[in-house]
Amino acid sequence: MAQTHTHSLELDTRQLTADPLILLVPGLDNSGPRHWQTHWEAKLPDCERVDLGMWDDPHRNTWVNKINLAVHRAGRPVILVAHSLGCLAVAWWAQFEQPAQGNPVVGALLVAPPDAERERVDERIARFAPIPRQPLPFPAFLAASENDPYASLRAARGMAQDWGATFAYAGSIGHINADSRIGDWDFGLLLLGQLIREHHSRTRPDEDGGSLRRNLSRRDFVPMPWNFESLDPERARGW
């Protein structure tokens, strides 16, 4: 009789219907007090930061292992919200771990990933090169800014395409960090809300809610005026 192998990260159906845990994955130097990730951690329920350590001297495999440990420990669905170098750590985690369908990660918001392959890139970012190019095994948004000093819009769109992520144009707000002065970053909350809504539509289509959804403001769940599949600069210039 053939033996059935269950992926080590796979959750059963009952666990997959739970509200997702939001795991924040910062980039270089962590996210300080004025960073939108820090605001989310303070204000959103079921939201935790992954302590990657070595914040100013990152080691790729160490960061990947820290993400893996946090996902294992969650014991429930997870949405990864990564910024900058944290996005590449998530992509490497997905490539190394190769999580199967039914794994805890049910979505990801990847914000301002740096181009680790460009010339004269920060040596600490270059450690994460080459950029993984395999499609991610979970739904994802990749949000990028037009004037990000760490990656051109073209490079960001290329990563989104390779990863199978929906590209979301965030305007001209630099590296989408504390220096961008975006506070709680409402557009990011809207993208997060969409990921949560899509998760619930897959796992419990007849229910409206979940504690995290109820705690985010109603405006974060108003349908977008654009098709998410075609969220690009040409269509988003007006907002």
Side-chain angles (χ1 to χ4, degrees), residues 68-96:
N68 199 45
L69 180 62
V71 171
H72 269 279
R73 286 178 170 173
R76 57 192 282 198
V78 166
I79 291 179
L80 298 171
V81 177
H83 177 256
S84 191
L85 194 57
C87 298
L88 299 188
V90 167
W92 276 114
W93 172 81
Q95 180 159 311
F96 286 146

Side-chain angles (χ1 to χ4, degrees), residues 137-157:
F138 39 77
F141 284 115
L142 190 153
S145 166
E146 191 163 14
N147 59 342
D148 188 337
Y150 293 97
S152 68
L153 209 58
R154 180 176 182 178
R157 288 176 64 88

